[in-house]
mmCIF file of all heavy atoms in Angstrom:
data_model
loop_
_atom_site.group_PDB
_atom_site.id
_atom_site.type_symbol
_atom_site.label_atom_id
_atom_site.label_comp_id
_atom_site.label_asym_id
_atom_site.label_seq_id
_atom_site.Cartn_x
_atom_site.Cartn_y
_atom_site.Cartn_z
ATOM 1 N N MET A 1 0.839 -1.160 0.000
ATOM 2 C CA MET A 1 0.000 0.000 0.000
ATOM 3 C C MET A 1 0.893 1.233 0.000
ATOM 4 O O MET A 1 1.904 1.269 0.692
ATOM 5 C CB MET A 1 -0.934 0.014 1.201
ATOM 6 C CG MET A 1 -1.809 1.235 1.180
ATOM 7 S SD MET A 1 -3.240 1.229 2.236
ATOM 8 C CE MET A 1 -4.013 -0.308 1.915
ATOM 9 N N ALA A 2 0.513 2.219 -0.779
ATOM 10 C CA ALA A 2 1.279 3.461 -0.864
ATOM 11 C C ALA A 2 0.339 4.647 -0.677
ATOM 12 O O ALA A 2 -0.766 4.669 -1.190
ATOM 13 C CB ALA A 2 1.967 3.565 -2.223
ATOM 14 N N SER A 3 0.808 5.616 0.081
ATOM 15 C CA SER A 3 0.082 6.872 0.202
ATOM 16 C C SER A 3 1.112 7.985 0.136
ATOM 17 O O SER A 3 2.303 7.767 0.337
ATOM 18 C CB SER A 3 -0.703 6.945 1.514
ATOM 19 O OG SER A 3 0.182 6.939 2.607
ATOM 20 N N GLY A 4 0.668 9.152 -0.188
ATOM 21 C CA GLY A 4 1.595 10.274 -0.301
ATOM 22 C C GLY A 4 0.845 11.523 -0.685
ATOM 23 O O GLY A 4 -0.389 11.554 -0.688
ATOM 24 N N ASN A 5 1.578 12.537 -1.029
ATOM 25 C CA ASN A 5 0.979 13.807 -1.436
ATOM 26 C C ASN A 5 0.659 13.781 -2.930
ATOM 27 O O ASN A 5 1.159 14.581 -3.699
ATOM 28 C CB ASN A 5 1.928 14.966 -1.106
ATOM 29 C CG ASN A 5 2.173 15.081 0.371
ATOM 30 O OD1 ASN A 5 1.365 14.653 1.170
ATOM 31 N ND2 ASN A 5 3.293 15.650 0.733
ATOM 32 N N PHE A 6 -0.202 12.844 -3.316
ATOM 33 C CA PHE A 6 -0.550 12.680 -4.721
ATOM 34 C C PHE A 6 -1.534 13.748 -5.201
ATOM 35 O O PHE A 6 -1.633 14.010 -6.381
ATOM 36 C CB PHE A 6 -1.145 11.297 -4.971
ATOM 37 C CG PHE A 6 -0.226 10.154 -4.621
ATOM 38 C CD1 PHE A 6 -0.615 9.173 -3.741
ATOM 39 C CD2 PHE A 6 1.036 10.068 -5.180
ATOM 40 C CE1 PHE A 6 0.217 8.116 -3.425
ATOM 41 C CE2 PHE A 6 1.892 9.023 -4.882
ATOM 42 C CZ PHE A 6 1.480 8.043 -3.997
ATOM 43 N N VAL A 7 -2.274 14.336 -4.276
ATOM 44 C CA VAL A 7 -3.293 15.331 -4.625
ATOM 45 C C VAL A 7 -2.976 16.632 -3.887
ATOM 46 O O VAL A 7 -2.755 16.623 -2.683
ATOM 47 C CB VAL A 7 -4.710 14.847 -4.252
ATOM 48 C CG1 VAL A 7 -5.752 15.891 -4.613
ATOM 49 C CG2 VAL A 7 -5.016 13.524 -4.943
ATOM 50 N N THR A 8 -2.965 17.740 -4.615
ATOM 51 C CA THR A 8 -2.763 19.070 -4.034
ATOM 52 C C THR A 8 -4.071 19.835 -4.172
ATOM 53 O O THR A 8 -4.718 19.787 -5.216
ATOM 54 C CB THR A 8 -1.642 19.827 -4.774
ATOM 55 O OG1 THR A 8 -0.463 19.029 -4.765
ATOM 56 C CG2 THR A 8 -1.339 21.147 -4.114
ATOM 57 N N ALA A 9 -4.460 20.540 -3.097
ATOM 58 C CA ALA A 9 -5.740 21.241 -3.095
ATOM 59 C C ALA A 9 -5.562 22.738 -2.894
ATOM 60 O O ALA A 9 -4.542 23.196 -2.396
ATOM 61 C CB ALA A 9 -6.628 20.682 -1.994
ATOM 62 N N LYS A 10 -6.596 23.466 -3.292
ATOM 63 C CA LYS A 10 -6.657 24.923 -3.110
ATOM 64 C C LYS A 10 -7.896 25.203 -2.271
ATOM 65 O O LYS A 10 -9.006 24.856 -2.674
ATOM 66 C CB LYS A 10 -6.752 25.597 -4.476
ATOM 67 C CG LYS A 10 -6.990 27.080 -4.442
ATOM 68 C CD LYS A 10 -7.017 27.661 -5.839
ATOM 69 C CE LYS A 10 -8.106 27.017 -6.680
ATOM 70 N NZ LYS A 10 -8.292 27.603 -7.988
ATOM 71 N N PRO A 11 -7.728 25.808 -1.080
ATOM 72 C CA PRO A 11 -8.897 26.040 -0.224
ATOM 73 C C PRO A 11 -9.878 27.021 -0.849
ATOM 74 O O PRO A 11 -9.488 27.949 -1.553
ATOM 75 C CB PRO A 11 -8.296 26.608 1.064
ATOM 76 C CG PRO A 11 -6.963 27.145 0.676
ATOM 77 C CD PRO A 11 -6.492 26.333 -0.490
ATOM 78 N N LEU A 12 -11.172 26.802 -0.593
ATOM 79 C CA LEU A 12 -12.198 27.703 -1.113
ATOM 80 C C LEU A 12 -12.258 29.000 -0.317
ATOM 81 O O LEU A 12 -12.548 30.054 -0.884
ATOM 82 C CB LEU A 12 -13.572 27.033 -1.076
ATOM 83 C CG LEU A 12 -13.820 25.914 -2.071
ATOM 84 C CD1 LEU A 12 -15.210 25.324 -1.876
ATOM 85 C CD2 LEU A 12 -13.657 26.405 -3.495
ATOM 86 N N GLY A 13 -12.034 28.926 0.995
ATOM 87 C CA GLY A 13 -12.070 30.127 1.822
ATOM 88 C C GLY A 13 -13.498 30.597 2.056
ATOM 89 O O GLY A 13 -14.419 29.809 2.205
ATOM 90 N N VAL A 14 -13.697 31.908 2.066
ATOM 91 C CA VAL A 14 -15.014 32.508 2.290
ATOM 92 C C VAL A 14 -15.537 33.051 0.966
ATOM 93 O O VAL A 14 -14.867 33.818 0.288
ATOM 94 C CB VAL A 14 -14.930 33.644 3.336
ATOM 95 C CG1 VAL A 14 -16.292 34.286 3.535
ATOM 96 C CG2 VAL A 14 -14.382 33.124 4.650
ATOM 97 N N ARG A 15 -16.755 32.626 0.606
ATOM 98 C CA ARG A 15 -17.397 33.090 -0.628
ATOM 99 C C ARG A 15 -18.821 33.527 -0.315
ATOM 100 O O ARG A 15 -19.573 32.757 0.286
ATOM 101 C CB ARG A 15 -17.419 31.988 -1.686
ATOM 102 C CG ARG A 15 -16.038 31.602 -2.176
ATOM 103 C CD ARG A 15 -16.122 30.612 -3.298
ATOM 104 N NE ARG A 15 -14.773 30.242 -3.730
ATOM 105 C CZ ARG A 15 -14.541 29.374 -4.687
ATOM 106 N NH1 ARG A 15 -15.530 28.788 -5.318
ATOM 107 N NH2 ARG A 15 -13.295 29.093 -5.024
ATOM 108 N N ASP A 16 -19.154 34.724 -0.711
ATOM 109 C CA ASP A 16 -20.493 35.281 -0.468
ATOM 110 C C ASP A 16 -20.901 35.149 1.002
ATOM 111 O O ASP A 16 -22.048 34.828 1.317
ATOM 112 C CB ASP A 16 -21.541 34.608 -1.362
ATOM 113 C CG ASP A 16 -21.290 34.864 -2.838
ATOM 114 O OD1 ASP A 16 -20.846 35.984 -3.169
ATOM 115 O OD2 ASP A 16 -21.540 33.949 -3.644
ATOM 116 N N GLY A 17 -19.950 35.363 1.894
ATOM 117 C CA GLY A 17 -20.218 35.311 3.323
ATOM 118 C C GLY A 17 -20.267 33.924 3.928
ATOM 119 O O GLY A 17 -20.497 33.765 5.113
ATOM 120 N N VAL A 18 -20.030 32.885 3.135
ATOM 121 C CA VAL A 18 -20.046 31.509 3.624
ATOM 122 C C VAL A 18 -18.608 31.029 3.774
ATOM 123 O O VAL A 18 -17.837 31.057 2.806
ATOM 124 C CB VAL A 18 -20.816 30.572 2.663
ATOM 125 C CG1 VAL A 18 -20.759 29.137 3.141
ATOM 126 C CG2 VAL A 18 -22.247 31.041 2.497
ATOM 127 N N ASP A 19 -18.237 30.607 4.989
ATOM 128 C CA ASP A 19 -16.900 30.073 5.256
ATOM 129 C C ASP A 19 -16.907 28.584 4.935
ATOM 130 O O ASP A 19 -17.567 27.795 5.603
ATOM 131 C CB ASP A 19 -16.532 30.303 6.711
ATOM 132 C CG ASP A 19 -15.113 29.877 7.028
ATOM 133 O OD1 ASP A 19 -14.424 29.337 6.137
ATOM 134 O OD2 ASP A 19 -14.687 30.095 8.176
ATOM 135 N N PHE A 20 -16.185 28.201 3.906
ATOM 136 C CA PHE A 20 -16.143 26.805 3.481
ATOM 137 C C PHE A 20 -15.149 25.976 4.282
ATOM 138 O O PHE A 20 -14.968 24.790 4.003
ATOM 139 C CB PHE A 20 -15.853 26.710 1.978
ATOM 140 C CG PHE A 20 -17.040 27.074 1.141
ATOM 141 C CD1 PHE A 20 -17.272 28.379 0.760
ATOM 142 C CD2 PHE A 20 -17.938 26.102 0.751
ATOM 143 C CE1 PHE A 20 -18.374 28.724 -0.003
ATOM 144 C CE2 PHE A 20 -19.045 26.419 -0.013
ATOM 145 C CZ PHE A 20 -19.263 27.735 -0.382
ATOM 146 N N GLN A 21 -14.503 26.580 5.265
ATOM 147 C CA GLN A 21 -13.602 25.932 6.202
ATOM 148 C C GLN A 21 -12.583 25.057 5.493
ATOM 149 O O GLN A 21 -11.715 25.560 4.814
ATOM 150 C CB GLN A 21 -14.392 25.193 7.266
ATOM 151 C CG GLN A 21 -15.238 26.130 8.094
ATOM 152 C CD GLN A 21 -16.022 25.420 9.155
ATOM 153 O OE1 GLN A 21 -15.915 24.216 9.347
ATOM 154 N NE2 GLN A 21 -16.842 26.165 9.865
ATOM 155 N N HIS A 22 -12.692 23.743 5.605
ATOM 156 C CA HIS A 22 -11.666 22.840 5.062
ATOM 157 C C HIS A 22 -11.990 22.323 3.665
ATOM 158 O O HIS A 22 -11.349 21.400 3.174
ATOM 159 C CB HIS A 22 -11.462 21.660 6.007
ATOM 160 C CG HIS A 22 -11.028 22.077 7.375
ATOM 161 N ND1 HIS A 22 -9.781 22.596 7.626
ATOM 162 C CD2 HIS A 22 -11.677 22.087 8.553
ATOM 163 C CE1 HIS A 22 -9.682 22.896 8.906
ATOM 164 N NE2 HIS A 22 -10.829 22.590 9.493
ATOM 165 N N THR A 23 -12.972 22.902 3.008
ATOM 166 C CA THR A 23 -13.349 22.476 1.664
ATOM 167 C C THR A 23 -12.420 23.122 0.647
ATOM 168 O O THR A 23 -12.003 24.258 0.811
ATOM 169 C CB THR A 23 -14.803 22.901 1.365
ATOM 170 O OG1 THR A 23 -15.645 22.357 2.363
ATOM 171 C CG2 THR A 23 -15.244 22.422 0.003
ATOM 172 N N GLY A 24 -12.087 22.377 -0.402
ATOM 173 C CA GLY A 24 -11.196 22.934 -1.408
ATOM 174 C C GLY A 24 -11.411 22.337 -2.782
ATOM 175 O O GLY A 24 -12.180 21.390 -2.954
ATOM 176 N N ASP A 25 -10.744 22.912 -3.763
ATOM 177 C CA ASP A 25 -10.746 22.413 -5.137
ATOM 178 C C ASP A 25 -9.427 21.711 -5.401
ATOM 179 O O ASP A 25 -8.391 22.097 -4.870
ATOM 180 C CB ASP A 25 -10.875 23.570 -6.133
ATOM 181 C CG ASP A 25 -12.254 24.199 -6.141
ATOM 182 O OD1 ASP A 25 -13.238 23.458 -5.926
ATOM 183 O OD2 ASP A 25 -12.348 25.410 -6.361
ATOM 184 N N VAL A 26 -9.471 20.717 -6.251
ATOM 185 C CA VAL A 26 -8.246 20.022 -6.637
ATOM 186 C C VAL A 26 -7.402 20.959 -7.485
ATOM 187 O O VAL A 26 -7.877 21.542 -8.453
ATOM 188 C CB VAL A 26 -8.561 18.725 -7.408
ATOM 189 C CG1 VAL A 26 -7.290 18.094 -7.951
ATOM 190 C CG2 VAL A 26 -9.299 17.755 -6.509
ATOM 191 N N ARG A 27 -6.161 21.123 -7.100
ATOM 192 C CA ARG A 27 -5.219 21.954 -7.844
ATOM 193 C C ARG A 27 -4.388 21.076 -8.789
ATOM 194 O O ARG A 27 -4.148 21.431 -9.928
ATOM 195 C CB ARG A 27 -4.305 22.701 -6.871
ATOM 196 C CG ARG A 27 -3.230 23.520 -7.558
ATOM 197 C CD ARG A 27 -2.402 24.277 -6.551
ATOM 198 N NE ARG A 27 -3.156 25.470 -6.168
ATOM 199 C CZ ARG A 27 -2.995 26.123 -5.038
ATOM 200 N NH1 ARG A 27 -2.137 25.697 -4.147
ATOM 201 N NH2 ARG A 27 -3.711 27.199 -4.780
ATOM 202 N N ARG A 28 -3.964 19.924 -8.297
ATOM 203 C CA ARG A 28 -3.074 19.082 -9.090
ATOM 204 C C ARG A 28 -3.158 17.640 -8.600
ATOM 205 O O ARG A 28 -3.291 17.393 -7.418
ATOM 206 C CB ARG A 28 -1.640 19.583 -8.917
ATOM 207 C CG ARG A 28 -0.610 18.839 -9.681
ATOM 208 C CD ARG A 28 0.759 19.547 -9.522
ATOM 209 N NE ARG A 28 1.817 18.667 -9.950
ATOM 210 C CZ ARG A 28 2.460 17.813 -9.165
ATOM 211 N NH1 ARG A 28 2.170 17.743 -7.902
ATOM 212 N NH2 ARG A 28 3.400 17.038 -9.651
ATOM 213 N N ILE A 29 -3.084 16.701 -9.533
ATOM 214 C CA ILE A 29 -2.978 15.277 -9.225
ATOM 215 C C ILE A 29 -1.683 14.778 -9.839
ATOM 216 O O ILE A 29 -1.445 14.960 -11.036
ATOM 217 C CB ILE A 29 -4.175 14.490 -9.782
ATOM 218 C CG1 ILE A 29 -5.468 14.973 -9.128
ATOM 219 C CG2 ILE A 29 -3.977 12.994 -9.573
ATOM 220 C CD1 ILE A 29 -6.713 14.337 -9.682
ATOM 221 N N ASP A 30 -0.837 14.181 -9.018
ATOM 222 C CA ASP A 30 0.461 13.681 -9.491
ATOM 223 C C ASP A 30 0.262 12.287 -10.085
ATOM 224 O O ASP A 30 0.550 11.269 -9.464
ATOM 225 C CB ASP A 30 1.460 13.660 -8.334
ATOM 226 C CG ASP A 30 2.883 13.407 -8.798
ATOM 227 O OD1 ASP A 30 3.074 13.029 -9.980
ATOM 228 O OD2 ASP A 30 3.806 13.585 -7.977
ATOM 229 N N ALA A 31 -0.271 12.262 -11.300
ATOM 230 C CA ALA A 31 -0.612 11.002 -11.967
ATOM 231 C C ALA A 31 0.622 10.135 -12.212
ATOM 232 O O ALA A 31 0.547 8.903 -12.120
ATOM 233 C CB ALA A 31 -1.333 11.281 -13.279
ATOM 234 N N ASP A 32 1.764 10.749 -12.509
ATOM 235 C CA ASP A 32 2.989 9.972 -12.744
ATOM 236 C C ASP A 32 3.400 9.198 -11.497
ATOM 237 O O ASP A 32 3.780 8.026 -11.579
ATOM 238 C CB ASP A 32 4.133 10.879 -13.193
ATOM 239 C CG ASP A 32 3.917 11.440 -14.589
ATOM 240 O OD1 ASP A 32 3.176 10.803 -15.378
ATOM 241 O OD2 ASP A 32 4.479 12.503 -14.890
ATOM 242 N N ALA A 33 3.319 9.842 -10.335
ATOM 243 C CA ALA A 33 3.679 9.168 -9.083
ATOM 244 C C ALA A 33 2.696 8.043 -8.772
ATOM 245 O O ALA A 33 3.092 6.973 -8.295
ATOM 246 C CB ALA A 33 3.722 10.169 -7.938
ATOM 247 N N ILE A 34 1.416 8.269 -9.065
ATOM 248 C CA ILE A 34 0.416 7.228 -8.846
ATOM 249 C C ILE A 34 0.691 6.041 -9.768
ATOM 250 O O ILE A 34 0.686 4.883 -9.342
ATOM 251 C CB ILE A 34 -1.008 7.782 -9.066
ATOM 252 C CG1 ILE A 34 -1.341 8.817 -7.979
ATOM 253 C CG2 ILE A 34 -2.038 6.647 -9.080
ATOM 254 C CD1 ILE A 34 -2.617 9.581 -8.227
ATOM 255 N N ARG A 35 0.951 6.322 -11.045
ATOM 256 C CA ARG A 35 1.261 5.244 -12.004
ATOM 257 C C ARG A 35 2.493 4.460 -11.581
ATOM 258 O O ARG A 35 2.541 3.234 -11.700
ATOM 259 C CB ARG A 35 1.475 5.817 -13.403
ATOM 260 C CG ARG A 35 0.207 6.052 -14.140
ATOM 261 C CD ARG A 35 0.472 6.351 -15.621
ATOM 262 N NE ARG A 35 -0.621 7.140 -16.122
ATOM 263 C CZ ARG A 35 -0.624 8.468 -16.229
ATOM 264 N NH1 ARG A 35 0.429 9.169 -15.901
ATOM 265 N NH2 ARG A 35 -1.687 9.096 -16.676
ATOM 266 N N GLN A 36 3.510 5.164 -11.103
ATOM 267 C CA GLN A 36 4.747 4.510 -10.661
ATOM 268 C C GLN A 36 4.455 3.530 -9.519
ATOM 269 O O GLN A 36 4.958 2.397 -9.528
ATOM 270 C CB GLN A 36 5.763 5.550 -10.216
ATOM 271 C CG GLN A 36 7.090 4.960 -9.801
ATOM 272 C CD GLN A 36 8.087 6.034 -9.360
ATOM 273 O OE1 GLN A 36 7.697 7.146 -9.023
ATOM 274 N NE2 GLN A 36 9.347 5.686 -9.362
ATOM 275 N N GLN A 37 3.637 3.950 -8.575
ATOM 276 C CA GLN A 37 3.281 3.058 -7.468
ATOM 277 C C GLN A 37 2.482 1.856 -7.962
ATOM 278 O O GLN A 37 2.714 0.721 -7.537
ATOM 279 C CB GLN A 37 2.489 3.824 -6.405
ATOM 280 C CG GLN A 37 3.287 4.860 -5.666
ATOM 281 C CD GLN A 37 4.431 4.265 -4.886
ATOM 282 O OE1 GLN A 37 4.328 3.189 -4.306
ATOM 283 N NE2 GLN A 37 5.555 4.968 -4.885
ATOM 284 N N LEU A 38 1.547 2.091 -8.874
ATOM 285 C CA LEU A 38 0.751 0.991 -9.427
ATOM 286 C C LEU A 38 1.624 0.028 -10.215
ATOM 287 O O LEU A 38 1.450 -1.200 -10.124
ATOM 288 C CB LEU A 38 -0.378 1.543 -10.298
ATOM 289 C CG LEU A 38 -1.465 2.327 -9.567
ATOM 290 C CD1 LEU A 38 -2.412 2.971 -10.567
ATOM 291 C CD2 LEU A 38 -2.213 1.435 -8.584
ATOM 292 N N ASP A 39 2.582 0.555 -10.983
ATOM 293 C CA ASP A 39 3.495 -0.291 -11.753
ATOM 294 C C ASP A 39 4.351 -1.182 -10.854
ATOM 295 O O ASP A 39 4.780 -2.259 -11.262
ATOM 296 C CB ASP A 39 4.405 0.560 -12.647
ATOM 297 C CG ASP A 39 3.664 1.192 -13.818
ATOM 298 O OD1 ASP A 39 2.519 0.746 -14.109
ATOM 299 O OD2 ASP A 39 4.211 2.139 -14.418
ATOM 300 N N GLN A 40 4.594 -0.718 -9.632
ATOM 301 C CA GLN A 40 5.370 -1.500 -8.666
ATOM 302 C C GLN A 40 4.494 -2.503 -7.908
ATOM 303 O O GLN A 40 4.970 -3.202 -7.026
ATOM 304 C CB GLN A 40 6.074 -0.580 -7.671
ATOM 305 C CG GLN A 40 7.143 0.276 -8.295
ATOM 306 C CD GLN A 40 7.740 1.273 -7.315
ATOM 307 O OE1 GLN A 40 7.509 1.213 -6.107
ATOM 308 N NE2 GLN A 40 8.514 2.210 -7.835
ATOM 309 N N GLY A 41 3.221 -2.561 -8.273
ATOM 310 C CA GLY A 41 2.310 -3.506 -7.650
ATOM 311 C C GLY A 41 1.687 -3.011 -6.365
ATOM 312 O O GLY A 41 1.052 -3.790 -5.651
ATOM 313 N N ASN A 42 1.850 -1.739 -6.052
ATOM 314 C CA ASN A 42 1.272 -1.184 -4.831
ATOM 315 C C ASN A 42 -0.177 -0.767 -5.039
ATOM 316 O O ASN A 42 -0.573 -0.411 -6.144
ATOM 317 C CB ASN A 42 2.072 0.043 -4.370
ATOM 318 C CG ASN A 42 3.458 -0.332 -3.916
ATOM 319 O OD1 ASN A 42 3.652 -1.348 -3.261
ATOM 320 N ND2 ASN A 42 4.438 0.481 -4.263
ATOM 321 N N VAL A 43 -0.947 -0.805 -3.976
ATOM 322 C CA VAL A 43 -2.287 -0.254 -3.960
ATOM 323 C C VAL A 43 -2.140 1.185 -3.502
ATOM 324 O O VAL A 43 -1.507 1.459 -2.486
ATOM 325 C CB VAL A 43 -3.205 -1.031 -2.986
ATOM 326 C CG1 VAL A 43 -4.552 -0.351 -2.850
ATOM 327 C CG2 VAL A 43 -3.359 -2.465 -3.444
ATOM 328 N N VAL A 44 -2.690 2.129 -4.238
ATOM 329 C CA VAL A 44 -2.554 3.555 -3.917
ATOM 330 C C VAL A 44 -3.764 4.000 -3.099
ATOM 331 O O VAL A 44 -4.909 3.825 -3.521
ATOM 332 C CB VAL A 44 -2.421 4.406 -5.200
ATOM 333 C CG1 VAL A 44 -2.362 5.874 -4.863
ATOM 334 C CG2 VAL A 44 -1.177 3.988 -5.968
ATOM 335 N N LEU A 45 -3.477 4.560 -1.926
ATOM 336 C CA LEU A 45 -4.514 5.063 -1.044
ATOM 337 C C LEU A 45 -4.681 6.555 -1.276
ATOM 338 O O LEU A 45 -3.743 7.330 -1.095
ATOM 339 C CB LEU A 45 -4.141 4.805 0.416
ATOM 340 C CG LEU A 45 -5.052 5.411 1.473
ATOM 341 C CD1 LEU A 45 -6.434 4.758 1.402
ATOM 342 C CD2 LEU A 45 -4.447 5.243 2.847
ATOM 343 N N LEU A 46 -5.871 6.955 -1.727
ATOM 344 C CA LEU A 46 -6.191 8.371 -1.907
ATOM 345 C C LEU A 46 -7.227 8.738 -0.864
ATOM 346 O O LEU A 46 -8.407 8.414 -0.986
ATOM 347 C CB LEU A 46 -6.735 8.636 -3.312
ATOM 348 C CG LEU A 46 -5.776 8.374 -4.457
ATOM 349 C CD1 LEU A 46 -6.480 8.569 -5.789
ATOM 350 C CD2 LEU A 46 -4.569 9.276 -4.354
ATOM 351 N N SER A 47 -6.795 9.420 0.167
ATOM 352 C CA SER A 47 -7.707 9.799 1.245
ATOM 353 C C SER A 47 -8.448 11.076 0.865
ATOM 354 O O SER A 47 -8.057 11.779 -0.063
ATOM 355 C CB SER A 47 -6.930 10.009 2.537
ATOM 356 O OG SER A 47 -6.137 11.173 2.441
ATOM 357 N N PRO A 48 -9.509 11.429 1.605
ATOM 358 C CA PRO A 48 -10.241 12.664 1.301
ATOM 359 C C PRO A 48 -9.511 13.919 1.769
ATOM 360 O O PRO A 48 -10.035 15.005 1.664
ATOM 361 C CB PRO A 48 -11.563 12.482 2.051
ATOM 362 C CG PRO A 48 -11.225 11.572 3.167
ATOM 363 C CD PRO A 48 -10.155 10.661 2.643
ATOM 364 N N VAL A 49 -8.312 13.764 2.299
ATOM 365 C CA VAL A 49 -7.514 14.904 2.755
ATOM 366 C C VAL A 49 -6.414 15.156 1.737
ATOM 367 O O VAL A 49 -5.675 14.254 1.367
ATOM 368 C CB VAL A 49 -6.895 14.633 4.140
ATOM 369 C CG1 VAL A 49 -6.024 15.795 4.570
ATOM 370 C CG2 VAL A 49 -7.975 14.370 5.159
ATOM 371 N N ALA A 50 -6.315 16.401 1.266
ATOM 372 C CA ALA A 50 -5.278 16.774 0.300
ATOM 373 C C ALA A 50 -4.331 17.785 0.942
ATOM 374 O O ALA A 50 -4.676 18.451 1.912
ATOM 375 C CB ALA A 50 -5.901 17.381 -0.949
ATOM 376 N N ILE A 51 -3.156 17.907 0.401
ATOM 377 C CA ILE A 51 -2.174 18.866 0.893
ATOM 378 C C ILE A 51 -2.316 20.156 0.105
ATOM 379 O O ILE A 51 -2.506 20.157 -1.108
ATOM 380 C CB ILE A 51 -0.749 18.302 0.732
ATOM 381 C CG1 ILE A 51 -0.602 17.037 1.574
ATOM 382 C CG2 ILE A 51 0.295 19.323 1.115
ATOM 383 C CD1 ILE A 51 -0.818 17.227 3.053
ATOM 384 N N ARG A 52 -2.229 21.278 0.797
ATOM 385 C CA ARG A 52 -2.255 22.568 0.116
ATOM 386 C C ARG A 52 -0.966 23.305 0.440
ATOM 387 O O ARG A 52 -0.231 22.944 1.329
ATOM 388 C CB ARG A 52 -3.471 23.385 0.541
ATOM 389 C CG ARG A 52 -3.437 23.821 1.992
ATOM 390 C CD ARG A 52 -4.653 24.639 2.332
ATOM 391 N NE ARG A 52 -4.508 25.144 3.680
ATOM 392 C CZ ARG A 52 -5.313 26.013 4.217
ATOM 393 N NH1 ARG A 52 -6.328 26.472 3.530
ATOM 394 N NH2 ARG A 52 -5.133 26.428 5.444
ATOM 395 N N ARG A 53 -0.703 24.365 -0.311
ATOM 396 C CA ARG A 53 0.480 25.182 -0.062
ATOM 397 C C ARG A 53 0.137 26.310 0.871
ATOM 398 O O ARG A 53 -0.864 26.998 0.622
ATOM 399 C CB ARG A 53 1.005 25.773 -1.367
ATOM 400 C CG ARG A 53 1.556 24.745 -2.279
ATOM 401 C CD ARG A 53 2.059 25.417 -3.534
ATOM 402 N NE ARG A 53 1.608 24.641 -4.668
ATOM 403 C CZ ARG A 53 1.358 25.102 -5.852
ATOM 404 N NH1 ARG A 53 1.496 26.377 -6.114
ATOM 405 N NH2 ARG A 53 0.980 24.334 -6.814
ATOM 406 N N PRO A 54 0.883 26.648 1.895
ATOM 407 C CA PRO A 54 1.934 25.816 2.485
ATOM 408 C C PRO A 54 1.342 24.527 3.022
ATOM 409 O O PRO A 54 0.123 24.431 3.174
ATOM 410 C CB PRO A 54 2.505 26.674 3.613
ATOM 411 C CG PRO A 54 1.439 27.646 3.948
ATOM 412 C CD PRO A 54 0.620 27.836 2.692
ATOM 413 N N ALA A 55 2.172 23.546 3.280
ATOM 414 C CA ALA A 55 1.733 22.186 3.584
ATOM 415 C C ALA A 55 0.844 22.126 4.826
ATOM 416 O O ALA A 55 1.281 21.843 5.913
ATOM 417 C CB ALA A 55 2.938 21.271 3.742
ATOM 418 N N ARG A 56 -0.443 22.432 4.626
ATOM 419 C CA ARG A 56 -1.460 22.284 5.669
ATOM 420 C C ARG A 56 -2.559 21.419 5.068
ATOM 421 O O ARG A 56 -2.769 21.402 3.867
ATOM 422 C CB ARG A 56 -2.018 23.638 6.090
ATOM 423 C CG ARG A 56 -0.937 24.483 6.727
ATOM 424 C CD ARG A 56 -1.341 25.867 7.157
ATOM 425 N NE ARG A 56 -2.696 26.302 6.936
ATOM 426 C CZ ARG A 56 -3.009 27.579 6.749
ATOM 427 N NH1 ARG A 56 -2.088 28.515 6.733
ATOM 428 N NH2 ARG A 56 -4.264 27.933 6.586
ATOM 429 N N CYS A 57 -3.263 20.696 5.891
ATOM 430 C CA CYS A 57 -4.291 19.782 5.389
ATOM 431 C C CYS A 57 -5.563 20.499 5.014
ATOM 432 O O CYS A 57 -5.935 21.486 5.630
ATOM 433 C CB CYS A 57 -4.605 18.712 6.440
ATOM 434 S SG CYS A 57 -3.287 17.537 6.631
ATOM 435 N N SER A 58 -6.198 20.015 3.979
ATOM 436 C CA SER A 58 -7.487 20.545 3.525
ATOM 437 C C SER A 58 -8.364 19.353 3.189
ATOM 438 O O SER A 58 -7.955 18.490 2.438
ATOM 439 C CB SER A 58 -7.290 21.419 2.300
ATOM 440 O OG SER A 58 -8.506 21.908 1.840
ATOM 441 N N THR A 59 -9.572 19.287 3.768
ATOM 442 C CA THR A 59 -10.454 18.156 3.491
ATOM 443 C C THR A 59 -11.577 18.557 2.590
ATOM 444 O O THR A 59 -11.860 19.699 2.394
ATOM 445 C CB THR A 59 -11.055 17.586 4.795
ATOM 446 O OG1 THR A 59 -11.739 18.619 5.476
ATOM 447 C CG2 THR A 59 -9.984 16.971 5.645
#
């Protein structure tokens, strides 16, 4: 099993007075790293938590 920072997110923040807290949009998916893990026979774990810049969690 492999997990890592395969998905990078961009937080939504506050829109029209609504604080979206930890909700975000996908900024980037590291498909090459995922393929590399799959080619090595690993199962890739993609959790609902993504890393954003700076490295803080966003769900």
Side-chain angles (χ1 to χ4, degrees):
M1 180 164 311
S3 64
N5 297 335
F6 300 124
V7 180
T8 305
K10 173 178 59 174
L12 289 178
V14 179
R15 294 185 181 179
D16 296 324
V18 177
D19 185 356
F20 285 89
Q21 297 180 3
H22 300 290
T23 304
D25 289 327
V26 173
R27 176 178 280 156
R28 181 174 165 270
I29 298 176
D30 191 348
D32 291 335
I34 293 171
R35 277 192 206 97
Q36 183 180 20
Q37 292 298 322
L38 293 172
D39 289 345
Q40 293 175 11
N42 293 320
V43 173
V44 177
L45 173 66
L46 296 175
S47 70
V49 177
I51 298 300
R52 67 179 186 172
R53 292 180 225 151
R56 296 178 0 209
C57 289
S58 179
T59 57

